[in-house]
Amino acid sequence: MDDLEDWPEIENALKEKRRELVLQGASVEERIAAGGGLTKAVYSLKLLNYLEVAQCPSLTEIHEDIKYLTNLQSLFLCRNKLGSIPKVIGSIQSLKVLDVSVNNLTVLPDEITQLPNLNTLNVSCNSLVCLPEGLSKCSKLYHLNISKNNITSFPSDFYSDRLDLLSTVIAYDNAIEELSGDVSKLAAIKNLDLSNNKLCELPFSLSDCAKLKDVNFKGNKFKDKRLEKMVNGCQTKSILDYIRAGGRGKGKGKPAGEDAGGDVAEGGDKKKRPQKKNKKKQGEEEQEEELAKMVVRILHLSDSPTAPAITVTANVKDVRPYLACCVVKGMNLKPGNALKRFLMAQTKLHDELCVRRTTATIATHDLQLLKSPLVYDARPPADLKITPLGRKEVCSVELMKTLQQEASDQRKQKKRQNVSGLHKYLQLLDGKELYPCLVDAEGHVISFPPITNSDKTKISQTTKELFLEVTSSTSLQTCKDVMDALIVKMAELNKFTAERNEETDAETPGTETPSQTAEQQQEEEEGLVIQQVRTVDQEGNLKVVYPSKTDLPNADETLKIIW
């Protein structure tokens, strides 16, 4: 272990007998590149139960000595360039969480199925074509994320009652062709995302999954075109009810009486039935299409002179250079749990599409509380002050220390079985000499990505116009993809709120004035209005306008976009 001088993190972990180690960021990447890989000294930390090595493009392999970390419970190797996982991974019997997302993996070792305590497996954003057979042996598995790969099918033993704890399956952006009728054996399944795959039909047994609360099948080309429209615009319950009915009015189990009746019918009866059915079918499709489409109007810059202006400084180039913003009008957050649903949806996007904020971060503000023009800048930590959500104004240095301590305490309370949300993204600023921030015209920091935004501009039930901000250190397209998904989700939630007809907290039945009711009805009919926002550099040169004509490319079947 002669190289410990170059790895003070490992040296301190040895001295302090630490059980957690995080290696991430530019400094770690430089040392891995210089040494031709991760130092073997890390594998001497036999007390570790949490290890994270992330965001190191020079890390292409993990040495087999990892087998000596026999107490390891959580292993995060995300956002590297790993081409393989050593087979000895199967010998770490204590492992509960394995995250190897955003790497260059083309295959997973079969030995992963030998991890009896594995409860969370994230292999998203790789180049996998299949999962190892025998996955059902991981009987404690409850969260599986295989999104953004080239997987064509689930393992043959996947639909097994042995996986009776599996509650979340995220498998969007793959090439999966079939969802087996045995899916009902996954008794605990609550969330199922198979959007953007190659499914052409759904099994009626899907409706037998009693705990299933959230499904996403968008982007699949179903034979049943009514079903295709429903998955793009309806809530889970409506989709499952339709499947339960067999689709097109066919019985779930195709009762014998129905088939027999069709067989014995002759002559004119046979001709009349299809004619009647086709007429009904056409009416149902037209009605469903109208129901499924959610209107979104785009307000051009030339039509919105009051749109916030944003200047991006050169300071953010090496910190978090990418930014996309827009204004959303017509989002109804006042009734019932509408605001709570929106915040939960934002959290879900952060966890999944934003990969726990590592690829992008969303911030939402009440437009009426913003002081434009805005500046997207990067400042020394000691010079950055913000009033975080639910806290008093504080310097970013002190805020980071406080959050780090809270994250550490949270992990200890959970016995380090899972990484906390706080800890996952605090590391993104490790080693940064400047911190990114969005500053208003009065010099107040209203956003400190990816950590928090300001309590001064937070949204509430009375917010009528939202300013949306997405930042990323990955790419501008990442910002746009996240913003696209957020807008689609907001349209869905707005529609859901309107259909529920919930009461507002501030009002009781019968107290609404005619003018209020008319205004609400008008907003519901108009749908969301998206106001374009432009970002420029310090010389005034255009950087990006969102949304542009090329944005929201996959929303055609879900939204009716009016420019």
Side-chain angles (χ1 to χ4, degrees):
M1 291 186 288
D2 296 333
D3 56 352
L4 276 183
E5 292 182 0
D6 297 328
W7 293 90
E9 304 95 335
I10 298 175
E11 185 176 17
N12 291 336
L14 275 171
K15 290 179 180 179
E16 300 171 9
K17 296 182 179 180
R18 292 191 58 186
R19 289 172 170 78
E20 310 145 356
L21 179 64
V22 176
L23 299 173
Q24 181 174 315
S27 175
V28 174
E29 158 63 12
E30 290 174 4
R31 284 175 280 170
I32 288 177
L38 183 63
T39 174
K40 291 184 181 180
V42 72
Y43 306 121
S44 66
L45 301 172
K46 296 183 180 181
L47 294 178
L48 283 184
N49 56 29
Y50 179 96
L51 174 62
E52 178 176 353
V53 186
Q55 291 187 303
C56 299
S58 296
L59 185 61
T60 59
E61 63 179 1
I62 294 295
H63 197 272
E64 291 187 353
D65 285 352
I66 196 172
K67 65 185 178 183
Y68 296 122
L69 301 181
T70 54
N71 292 308
L72 204 58
Q73 294 183 14
S74 298
L75 178 59
F76 288 82
L77 300 171
C78 47
R79 299 188 62 76
N80 300 301
K81 295 293 183 181
L82 295 177
S84 63
I85 302 296
K87 294 182 178 181
V88 295
I89 194 75
S91 65
I92 309 177
Q93 297 289 286
S94 59
L95 197 61
K96 297 180 179 180
V97 179
L98 177 60
D99 187 337
V100 290
S101 59
V102 198
N103 280 287
N104 291 336
L105 300 175
T106 57
V107 65
L108 295 176
D110 293 339
E111 285 73 12
I112 281 181
T113 65
Q114 298 173 10
L115 298 171
N117 293 303
L118 189 68
N119 59 45
T120 301
L121 178 61
N122 186 349
V123 296
S124 61
C125 302
N126 281 286
S127 300
L128 301 173
V129 295
C130 65
L131 296 174
E133 292 289 336
L135 198 60
S136 64
K137 289 187 287 186
C138 300
S139 58
K140 294 185 179 180
L141 189 67
Y142 70 76
H143 184 100
L144 176 65
N145 188 341
I146 61 172
S147 58
K148 294 194 174 183
N149 280 285
N150 301 311
I151 295 170
T152 57
S153 64
F154 290 101
S156 59
D157 68 323
F158 178 73
Y159 305 100
S160 168
D161 50 15
R162 295 180 66 181
L163 293 174
D164 58 351
L165 298 178
L166 185 61
S167 65
T168 299
V169 176
I170 303 171
Y172 62 84
D173 288 353
N174 275 289
I176 297 172
E177 299 175 350
E178 180 185 13
L179 183 62
S180 170
D182 290 331
V183 67
S184 58
K185 291 183 179 180
L186 301 176
I189 194 73
K190 293 181 181 179
N191 305 294
L192 180 61
D193 190 340
L194 283 165
S195 55
N196 298 322
N197 276 280
K198 295 185 178 181
L199 298 175
C200 59
E201 57 186 5
L202 296 175
F204 67 81
S205 58
L206 183 66
S207 61
D208 293 333
C209 298
K211 295 186 178 181
L212 192 57
K213 301 298 181 185
D214 190 7
V215 299
N216 189 350
F217 297 113
K218 297 175 183 177
N220 288 285
K221 301 297 182 182
F222 291 105
K223 293 178 182 178
D224 185 338
K225 295 306 177 184
R226 184 183 178 195
L227 174 62
E228 186 172 317
K229 291 181 176 118
M230 289 188 73
V231 301
N232 284 313
C234 294
Q235 297 295 319
T236 296
K237 185 180 182 301
S238 300
I239 296 170
L240 295 181
D241 286 346
Y242 181 75
I243 295 171
R244 184 176 291 110
R248 302 290 188 197
K250 296 176 184 177
K252 174 180 170 182
K254 295 185 179 180
E258 180 182 329
D259 289 338
D263 290 339
V264 297
E266 297 179 357
D269 289 342
K270 280 190 175 181
K271 293 180 180 178
K272 289 179 182 178
R273 280 185 185 173
Q275 290 177 355
K276 185 176 180 180
K277 183 177 179 181
N278 287 337
K279 185 176 180 180
K280 182 180 179 181
K281 167 184 169 183
Q282 182 178 358
E284 288 176 344
E285 286 187 348
E286 291 175 354
Q287 184 179 8
E288 192 60 54
E289 183 175 2
E290 186 66 25
L291 178 67
K293 289 286 186 178
M294 296 169 287
V295 177
V296 171
R297 290 178 169 80
I298 309 298
L299 189 61
H300 194 270
L301 279 169
S302 59
D303 299 322
S304 51
T306 59
I310 303 176
T311 300
V312 179
T313 73
N315 294 338
V316 301
K317 181 179 179 182
D318 298 322
V319 184
R320 199 174 185 86
Y322 305 107
L323 170 74
C325 301
C326 69
V327 171
V328 176
K329 303 178 180 181
M331 186 70 186
N332 189 4
L333 300 175
K334 198 170 186 180
N337 292 320
L339 177 60
K340 182 179 179 180
R341 285 193 293 269
F342 173 63
L343 295 176
M344 290 175 63
Q346 183 177 329
T347 298
K348 186 176 180 181
L349 284 173
H350 268 148
D351 288 344
E352 297 177 5
L353 187 58
C354 300
V355 195
R356 297 184 183 178
R357 304 198 189 196
T358 57
T359 59
T361 305
I362 303 166
T364 55
H365 308 269
D366 188 325
L367 183 66
Q368 300 303 315
L369 302 177
L370 290 185
K371 305 295 182 182
S372 188
L374 306 176
V375 176
Y376 183 49
D377 195 11
R379 297 179 173 180
D383 297 342
L384 195 160
K385 291 185 178 181
I386 187 171
T387 304
L389 291 170
R391 302 172 188 258
K392 297 181 179 179
E393 186 179 58
V394 65
C395 171
S396 65
V397 176
E398 293 302 317
L399 176 63
M400 292 295 284
K401 287 181 180 179
T402 301
L403 294 178
Q404 287 281 11
Q405 184 60 50
E406 290 177 0
S408 178
D409 293 343
Q410 188 182 72
R411 293 223 315 276
K412 290 176 181 177
Q413 290 173 4
K414 293 184 177 182
K415 298 180 180 179
R416 305 180 186 88
Q417 292 182 6
N418 293 301
V419 62
S420 72
L422 284 171
H423 189 272
K424 186 66 182 179
Y425 57 83
L426 292 177
Q427 308 302 319
L428 296 176
L429 294 178
D430 277 0
K432 301 293 186 184
E433 296 181 358
L434 300 175
Y435 284 172
C437 56
L438 189 63
V439 185
D440 70 7
E442 296 180 349
H444 297 134
V445 174
I446 63 170
S447 182
F448 173 26
I451 308 303
T452 185
N453 46 303
S454 175
D455 195 71
K456 295 181 178 180
T457 58
K458 72 177 180 180
I459 62 174
S460 65
Q461 285 185 305
T462 59
T463 298
K464 295 183 177 181
E465 298 178 340
L466 290 89
F467 178 79
L468 306 184
E469 155 212 341
V470 177
T471 61
S472 174
S473 59
T474 305
S475 68
L476 177 60
Q477 190 57 50
T478 298
C479 292
K480 291 188 170 189
D481 290 345
V482 172
M483 190 72 87
D484 289 352
L486 178 59
I487 288 174
V488 171
K489 192 63 183 178
M490 291 175 73
E492 292 175 355
L493 291 173
N494 227 26
K495 176 185 174 184
F496 180 72
T497 298
E499 290 175 348
R500 295 260 320 239
N501 196 27
E502 296 173 300
E503 298 174 9
T504 64
D505 290 345
E507 297 171 341
T508 56
T511 61
E512 294 178 346
T513 64
S515 60
Q516 287 175 320
T517 303
E519 181 181 353
Q520 291 173 357
Q521 290 177 346
Q522 183 179 2
E523 287 180 353
E524 290 175 9
E525 291 173 0
E526 290 182 352
L528 294 183
V529 175
I530 313 299
Q531 180 176 299
Q532 288 182 322
V533 171
R534 173 173 52 195
T535 62
V536 299
D537 62 20
Q538 290 171 289
E539 285 72 41
N541 300 311
L542 180 65
K543 291 181 69 69
V544 62
V545 172
Y546 183 91
S548 66
K549 290 282 188 178
T550 59
D551 296 321
L552 295 162
N554 299 319
D556 292 346
E557 297 181 358
T558 307
L559 305 178
K560 181 179 180 182
I561 300 176
I562 302 176
W563 288 86

